Amino acid sequence: MSRLLEQALTLWIDLLQIDENMTTGSSEQFKNRDQVRTIRETLVRDSSGVTALFLLKNSVSHYLANTAISLQQIINGDRDYLNTLSQVQSLLKLLDNEVLNEHGHQFMEAINLALLHYQLNGNKVLRTLVDDGHTIWKMRHEALYSVEKLNVFQFLSGEPEPAGVKPQYHKDIYDWWNINSLLSGSVGMPSGISLIIEILFVGGY
């Protein structure tokens, strides 16, 4: 997958006509450069290259949907147009990879199984996010990054639950303004696993 990614990125960079080490250029060029850097950085968190390749596929789809070519260019056989078309076709052929598509299928299966497990399959908002190919892979990228910042705290003090009481998965995500409020709220929760976000203030809101 890493070889496929490198080949695809090389074509993508040529198509965008950018330099990854550029220091001058338009805002659009810098945006595209940062996008390429983000895709490369994703390899640090997912060495398989799958997440990076799907982010690249999304970027290519966005490019195709928002790039306009005049009929005059097509009729005249404009050289730049023909070159761009050839590059796009080569890139799409690379990204239409059987192994990559299978990885994507397995990932979506895992997402759908998770929705069933947490009884969220009927949630229209989540269903929309999952069905949106661009959003779900962006979320996977952000989730991989977030794991590096995630801390696990286990509260083992106090009386244990009666025999037979199973831990619960808390479906809501809680955010607290300070540690005292967090602890106060946690005391009243049933034993189980929950996701907590602590809001930190650094130099103002």
Side-chain angles (χ1 to χ4, degrees), residues 1-9 39 43 46-54 56-57 94-104 106 137 140:
M1 283 296 169
S2 58
R3 183 180 178 184
L4 174 64
L5 176 63
E6 197 55 48
Q7 290 175 322
L9 269 179
I39 291 171
L43 279 171
D46 178 10
S47 59
S48 71
V50 173
T51 306
L53 279 162
F54 272 97
L56 178 55
K57 287 185 76 168
L94 263 181
L95 293 174
D96 187 21
N97 179 279
E98 184 177 348
V99 176
L100 178 62
N101 290 335
E102 180 58 27
H103 276 291
Q106 290 175 3
W137 286 99
R140 170 165 161 156

Side-chain angles (χ1 to χ4, degrees), residues 16 26 29 40 85 92-93 104 141 146 148 170 174 192 205:
L16 297 176
S26 67
Q29 287 176 317
R40 287 198 187 280
L85 183 60
L92 290 176
K93 186 176 180 180
H141 166 262
S146 298
E148 295 180 359
H170 296 282
Y174 300 92
Y205 184 70

Side-chain angles (χ1 to χ4, degrees), residues 14-17 63 67-70 72-74 76-89:
D14 287 344
L15 182 62
L16 297 176
Q17 298 182 338
Y63 172 83
T67 299
I69 295 176
S70 70
Q72 194 65 51
Q73 286 177 291
I74 298 174
N76 293 342
D78 183 274
R79 182 175 297 176
D80 288 338
Y81 157 72
L82 294 175
N83 184 50
T84 298
L85 183 60
S86 176
Q87 289 176 308
V88 168
Q89 288 173 332

Side-chain angles (χ1 to χ4, degrees), residues 5-6 12 15 32 45 60-61 66 84 113 116-117 147 155 157 179 186 195:
L5 176 63
E6 197 55 48
W12 181 232
L15 182 62
N32 291 331
R45 302 175 183 94
V60 173
S61 295
N66 292 277
T84 298
L113 286 173
L116 286 172
H117 175 76
V147 166
F155 298 92
S157 299
I179 193 66
S186 299
L195 180 60

